[in-house]
């Protein structure tokens, strides 16, 4: 039986983490969390919820952090979520979503799986994007790019297919962006990428 590892990077996500992890109950076999400097109890909460935890200093590089979180995993396939995201169960159980992902893995062993990300914005607006978030653990695989990182295998983007899975992202609401300083962080990432 294939095993699925959830891999996450977090910092100061105590208000979001439990919602995220509750949404993957019955879906994943293990939760791997790389903390990049939390001071709000995130690490303790993740530990209490059964996650495997490691810590690393934030190096202004999402790919480096993602790759470090994947290094913690022992599963055959990796599901990537952020703490301010949750699986959209859409009336299904975790066991049903797991069966769906395992079927995808069995049919598409060489493909990376896209997930529909539904971003909640201000005033009830939303946007959607299909992003690779489910893939086989592969020693040749790694994320590349400091921001808006991309999953690559042997330096190339792998062929992709839709998993049919969706998640809700709560991190683009205007009050969250302002409180977390996301614009300033992203500008720094872009500067570092250009250098």
């Amino acid at each position: 039986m294939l095993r699925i590892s959830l891999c996450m990077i977090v910092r100061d996500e105590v208000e979001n983490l439990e919602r995220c992890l509750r949404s993957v109950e019955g879906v994943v076999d293990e939760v791997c969390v790389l903390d990049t400097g939390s001071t709000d109890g995130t690490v303790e909460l993740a530990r209490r919820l059964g996650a495997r935890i490691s810590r690393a200093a934030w190096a202004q590089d999402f790919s480096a952090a993602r790759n470090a979180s994947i290094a913690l995993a022992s599963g055959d396939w990796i599901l990537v979520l952020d703490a301010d995201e949750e699986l959209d169960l859409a009336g299904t159980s975790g066991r049903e979503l797991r069966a769906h992902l395992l079927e995808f893995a069995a049919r598409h062993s060489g493909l990376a799986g896209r997930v529909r990300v539904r971003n909640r914005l201000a005033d009830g607006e939303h946007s959607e994007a299909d992003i690779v978030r489910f893939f086989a653990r592969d020693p040749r695989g790694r994320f590349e790019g400091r921001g808006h990182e991309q999953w690559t295998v042997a330096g190339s983007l792998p062929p992709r297919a839709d998993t049919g899975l969706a998640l809700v992202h709560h991190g683009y609401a205007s009050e969250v962006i302002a409180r977390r300083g996301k614009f300033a962080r992203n500008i720094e990432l872009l500067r570092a990428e250009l250098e």
Side-chain angles (χ1 to χ4, degrees), residues 32-92:
C32 303
V33 171
L34 180 78
D35 183 80
T36 62
S38 291
T39 59
D40 69 346
T42 296
V43 171
E44 294 76 14
L45 176 59
R47 187 174 288 118
R48 194 168 64 250
L49 294 172
R52 176 181 296 150
I53 301 161
S54 184
R55 294 182 177 192
W58 174 242
Q60 300 289 351
D61 188 330
F62 276 102
S63 288
R66 292 253 187 249
N67 293 330
S69 74
I70 291 168
L72 300 171
S74 64
D76 304 291
W77 280 71
I78 305 294
L79 176 64
V80 173
L81 292 179
D82 290 333
D84 60 0
E85 298 172 335
E86 63 183 305
L87 288 183
D88 185 349
L89 299 175
T92 60

Side-chain angles (χ1 to χ4, degrees), residues 2 21 30 33 37 39 52 61 109 114 123 127 149 154 164 177:
L2 295 175
L21 295 185
E30 67 177 352
V33 171
T39 59
R52 176 181 296 150
D61 188 330
S109 62
R114 285 186 301 241
D123 300 323
S127 67
E149 61 280 7
I177 288 173

